[in-house]
């Protein structure tokens, strides 16, 4: 126990602890929206497109996270724009942005002189290296998401459930769709440091899939997702620190274990319910 | 008779494909208009134009009632049946005033209205269930409640009899007959045999729209309207005159 308290005296550990909490809140809420609307693939597209920005950031010598943010937001708006205007099918459009971003990233990292030392931390996450600036950005994002979901909860829910019907009720469908796209892009980029580009999809889907075993209501799913994401990211952080493995991998591993246990539990209780 | 909606010279094109051509149609107060026509003939497009989901390429639609008084029941297959949402929230989503009200005030009146509608449809017990576990007929009733919560003067229904069993179908039409005392109804169906029993007038939609006064239509008239439909009843002997349908 005292070892644990000792751990909290380190600035870097306090940062990662906060990062784990903020990641759980933002991914828990936004992931529920993503899973409910079945736009997991789209979120994958935005995530991977942001790699282009990381490559350009390296090349120009600016913070790769800024490049990633620009790329993520542009690809999110681009996908939404092409979908709205209907000329390109959405999944094709996503695949184009996805691979274009990755290609640009690889090209620019390749032509950047020298070795890209912490490239791995962008791909697989390194929660122990999160900086104070990133923490305050993650905190602001959480506040933004929470405010949006408090003020617009029903509007977001109605549009997500049945977009066409929402249009006939005069709801601002386009505005909310673009707003949510930007929020998804920001959530992806700001959580890259925690779980990495390759693994972030799981933080947006695993806690939700686990929550979905227990509930079929949007609001309960949000709260349960945040809860499962919290358990996963905090215990993943501990595992990452003590076993000295990348945080992304340990967090996802624990989330999968939780999912497996819940699935098994619900399966067994359904099958043997009559015996109890 | 007061006109609720007037469609004037309406044409709708998707890319270069003409779906509706020069449609003129009006819906009167307390009318019960059955819209029939072949698949791809433009029935849904007509309804979507009325609901302002798609823009007319030419012509216009005049609304003599506030648009918020037009209730809508879309085709059921457009909806994600596994979306995590409760029945009562689906019904409440039919209220159009959500933008103008305080998001923090619990809307007791709206909840009561929604519960009342579910009660009327005989599904009050499903209130807190999520839509995932409902049957096709239950789901249609939930969506009917959603379209009724704004007290519409005109109710527009796009194939409410699709994906439901026969028992629910007749229940639904009895329900609509009752509602028709309070509001006009526009109903799309591909089952003209059944709807002719309940509707007052018929519109045949196949790129062009022909308005047919009354609910008795013969095969010859359908052919005249360029409406390639066969009149076949549910009875043992196929017949063409709906009047004698049993």
């Amino acid at each position: 126990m005292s070892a644990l308290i000792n751990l909290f005296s380190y600035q870097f550990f306090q940062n990662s602890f906060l990062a784990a909490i903020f990641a759980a809140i933002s991914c828990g809420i936004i992931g529920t929206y993503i899973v409910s609307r079945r736009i997991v693939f789209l979120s994958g597209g935005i995530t991977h497109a942001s790699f282009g920005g990381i490559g350009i950031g390296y090349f120009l010598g600016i913070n790769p996270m800024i490049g990633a943010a620009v790329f993520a937001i542009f690809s999110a708006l681009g996908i939404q724009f092409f979908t709205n205007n209907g000329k390109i099918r959405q999944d094709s459009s996503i695949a184009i942005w996805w691979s274009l971003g990755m290609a640009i990233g690889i090209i620019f990292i390749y032509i950047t002189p020298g070795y890209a030392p912490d490239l791995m931390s962008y791909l697989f996450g390194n929660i122990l290296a999160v900086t104070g600036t990133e923490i305050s950005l993650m905190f602001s994002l959480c506040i933004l998401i929470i405010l949006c979901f408090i003020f617009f909860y029903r509007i977001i829910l109605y549009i997500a459930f049945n977009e066409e019907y929402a249009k006939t009720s005069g709801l601002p469908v386009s505005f909310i769709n673009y707003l949510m796209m930007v929020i998804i892009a920001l959530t992806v980029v700001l959580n890259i440091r925690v779980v990495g580009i390759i693994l972030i999809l799981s933080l947006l889907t695993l806690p939700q899939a686990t929550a979905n075993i227990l509930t079929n209501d949007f609001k309960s799913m949000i709260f349960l997702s945040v809860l499962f994401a919290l358990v996963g990211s905090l215990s993943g952080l501990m595992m990452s620190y003590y076993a000295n493995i990348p945080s992304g991998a340990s967090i996802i591993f624990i989330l999968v274990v939780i999912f497996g246990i819940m699935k098994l539990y619900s399966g067994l209780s359904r099958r043997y319910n009559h015996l109890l | 008779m007061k006109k609720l909606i007037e469609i004037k010279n309406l044409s709708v094109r998707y890319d270069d494909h003409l779906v509706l051509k020069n449609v003129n149609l009006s819906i009167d107060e307390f009318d019960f208009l059955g819209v029939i026509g072949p698949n791809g003939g433009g029935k849904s497009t007509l309804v979507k134009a009325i609901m302002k989901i798609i823009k007319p390429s030419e012509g216009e639609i005049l609304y003599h009632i506030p648009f918020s008084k037009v209730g809508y029941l879309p085709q059921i297959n457009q909806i994600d049946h596994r979306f995590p949402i409760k029945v009562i929230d689906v019904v409440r989503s039919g209220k159009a005033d959500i933008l103008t009200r305080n998001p923090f005030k619990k809307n007791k009146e709206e909840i009561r209205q929604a519960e009342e509608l579910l009660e009327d449809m005989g599904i009050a017990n499903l209130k807190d269930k999520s839509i995932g576990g409902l049957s096709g007929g239950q789901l249609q009733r939930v969506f009917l409640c959603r379209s009724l919560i704004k007290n519409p003067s005109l109710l527009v229904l796009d194939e409410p009899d699709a994906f439901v069993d026969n028992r629910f179908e007749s229940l639904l039409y009895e329900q609509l007959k009752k509602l028709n005392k309070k509001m006009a109804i526009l109903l799309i169906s591909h089952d003209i045999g059944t709807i002719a029993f309940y509707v007052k007038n018929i519109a045949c939609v196949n790129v062009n729209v022909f308005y047919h006064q009354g609910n008795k239509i013969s095969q010859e008239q359908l052919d005249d309207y360029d409406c390639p439909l066969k009149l076949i009843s549910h009875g043992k002997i196929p017949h063409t005159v709906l009047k004698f349908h049993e």
Side-chain angles (χ1 to χ4, degrees):
Chain A
M1 193 63 206
S2 67
L4 195 65
I5 292 165
N6 251 346
L7 207 50
F8 274 97
S9 61
Y10 297 114
Q11 179 68 44
F12 84 91
F13 195 82
Q14 290 172 11
N15 280 352
S16 4
F17 184 76
L18 289 175
I21 291 174
F22 296 150
I25 295 173
S26 55
C27 291
I29 301 175
I30 290 306
T32 302
Y33 176 81
I34 288 171
V35 167
S36 303
R37 279 208 95 161
R38 299 177 189 255
I39 49 174
V40 173
F41 183 56
L42 187 152
S43 316
I46 296 172
T47 311
H48 287 79
S50 70
F51 189 65
I54 290 175
I56 290 181
Y58 266 117
F59 182 72
L60 297 178
I62 54 169
N63 186 347
M65 294 308 282
I66 295 171
V70 172
F71 259 65
I73 291 175
F74 270 102
S75 62
L77 296 178
I79 292 167
Q80 182 68 31
F81 179 78
F82 283 130
T83 309
N84 276 1
N85 293 282
K87 297 296 177 203
I88 303 178
R89 288 161 70 170
Q90 193 189 32
D91 54 344
S92 308
S93 164
I94 291 167
I96 291 168
W97 287 96
W98 180 311
S99 41
L100 177 70
M102 290 302 277
I104 291 174
I106 291 165
I107 289 170
F108 277 94
I109 285 173
Y110 192 79
I111 60 175
T112 303
Y115 173 67
D118 51 1
L119 186 61
M120 283 290 275
S121 82
Y122 288 106
L123 290 176
F124 296 107
N126 186 359
I127 200 171
L128 300 173
V130 177
T131 64
T133 319
E134 284 164 345
I135 295 294
S136 25
L137 284 173
M138 287 175 84
F139 175 72
S140 318
L141 175 70
C142 285
I143 298 296
L144 173 72
I145 293 174
I146 291 170
L147 286 180
C148 277
F149 272 75
I150 289 176
F151 278 101
F152 303 140
Y153 173 72
R154 287 204 169 259
I155 300 175
I156 292 169
L157 174 67
Y158 297 165
I159 292 174
F161 172 58
N162 195 344
E163 194 174 309
E164 202 167 88
Y165 189 86
K167 263 183 213 163
T168 69
S169 321
L171 297 187
V173 173
S174 275
F175 170 73
I176 292 287
N177 278 342
Y178 279 115
L179 176 72
M180 293 308 288
M181 279 297 185
V182 171
I183 291 181
I184 291 173
L186 291 174
T187 304
V188 161
V189 168
L190 290 175
N191 287 303
I192 281 177
R193 292 292 253 174
V194 178
V195 277
I197 287 179
I198 300 188
L199 297 174
I200 197 159
L201 267 193
S202 28
L203 204 48
L204 293 167
T205 51
L206 269 170
Q208 289 72 18
T210 314
N212 205 194
I213 297 172
L214 300 175
T215 180
N216 254 318
D217 174 53
F218 196 70
K219 201 182 264 173
S220 324
M221 213 168 129
I222 288 177
F223 286 113
L224 281 174
S225 301
V226 171
L227 178 74
F228 286 125
L230 269 177
V231 174
S233 59
L234 289 177
S235 32
L237 167 65
M238 293 300 168
M239 192 169 145
S240 164
Y241 179 76
Y242 284 111
N244 196 21
I245 50 175
S247 57
S250 60
I251 290 172
I252 301 325
F253 182 75
I254 288 174
L255 285 174
V256 172
V257 170
I258 298 174
F259 175 76
I261 292 171
M262 291 309 298
K263 194 79 190 161
L264 195 70
Y265 168 76
S266 89
L268 286 178
S269 67
R270 205 170 301 146
R271 178 171 295 186
Y272 296 110
N273 205 12
H274 60 286
L275 296 177
L276 297 173
Chain B
M1 193 77 82
K2 192 188 160 202
K3 280 181 178 155
L4 302 181
I5 282 186
E6 269 180 286
I7 300 170
K8 287 188 164 170
N9 305 319
L10 174 82
S11 294
V12 177
R13 259 183 214 95
Y14 290 135
D15 295 325
D16 293 330
H17 184 61
L18 189 64
V19 187
L20 288 174
K21 187 182 162 192
N22 207 16
V23 175
N24 286 288
L25 185 72
S26 55
I27 301 156
D28 296 334
E29 217 175 6
F30 305 114
D31 194 1
F32 194 153
L33 181 65
V35 176
I36 58 172
N39 287 331
K43 301 189 294 286
S44 279
T45 303
L46 178 66
V47 159
K48 283 183 183 175
I50 292 174
M51 293 316 299
K52 297 185 177 176
I53 294 167
I54 47 177
K55 281 203 179 83
S57 311
E58 284 149 45
E60 58 180 341
I61 301 176
L62 304 175
Y63 300 86
H64 301 301
I65 45 171
F67 184 66
S68 61
K69 283 285 165 194
V70 185
Y72 177 47
L73 186 141
Q75 271 187 38
I76 198 171
N77 57 7
Q78 288 181 351
I79 285 137
D80 180 0
H81 295 206
R82 297 196 60 186
F83 192 97
I85 187 169
K86 279 194 259 181
V87 164
I88 184 114
D89 287 328
V90 174
V91 178
R92 290 178 64 186
S93 75
K95 273 278 186 188
D97 66 344
I98 183 169
L99 284 177
T100 50
R101 69 178 192 224
N102 181 351
F104 301 106
K105 235 177 96 187
K106 199 166 162 108
N107 206 322
K108 281 189 192 140
E109 172 62 18
E110 183 181 292
I111 295 170
R112 194 190 55 77
Q113 259 179 308
E115 285 171 348
E116 235 171 63
L117 284 165
L118 289 168
E119 184 80 53
D120 286 350
M121 295 288 159
I123 47 171
N125 54 326
L126 301 177
K127 180 172 77 111
D128 290 316
K129 288 248 164 33
S130 69
I131 58 161
L134 305 191
S135 70
Q138 289 170 331
L139 210 50
Q140 284 291 20
R141 271 177 277 185
V142 173
F143 291 134
L144 192 57
C145 292
R146 173 176 72 171
S147 61
L148 291 172
I149 198 167
K150 56 167 110 157
N151 276 323
S153 317
L154 168 64
L155 181 59
V156 177
L157 309 143
D158 196 347
E159 303 215 21
D161 49 2
F163 306 103
V164 300
D165 55 36
N166 289 340
R167 197 182 60 86
F168 172 68
E169 195 181 297
S170 40
L171 225 84
L172 170 78
Y173 285 116
E174 289 304 328
Q175 191 68 249
L176 292 181
K177 210 170 157 181
K178 257 192 262 166
L179 289 171
N180 190 215
K181 295 200 176 87
K182 290 183 281 183
M183 62 191 77
I185 296 177
L186 186 153
L187 167 76
I188 290 186
S189 176
H190 50 232
D191 187 0
I192 50 174
T194 311
I195 67 162
F197 252 160
Y198 298 93
V199 300
K200 294 176 179 158
N201 299 296
I202 294 173
C204 299
V205 180
N206 186 18
V207 185
N208 297 291
V209 173
F210 292 96
Y211 182 81
H212 179 85
Q213 189 84 46
N215 65 353
K216 296 166 192 73
I217 195 164
S218 69
Q219 187 69 55
E220 289 73 29
Q221 285 170 319
L222 275 178
D223 293 341
D224 280 348
Y225 295 148
D226 188 27
C227 200
L229 284 180
K230 280 276 168 276
L231 292 177
I232 298 169
S233 82
H234 296 292
K236 289 195 177 74
I237 311 150
H239 50 240
T240 52
V241 185
L242 294 167
K243 194 176 159 189
F244 306 120
H245 184 96
E246 190 56 56

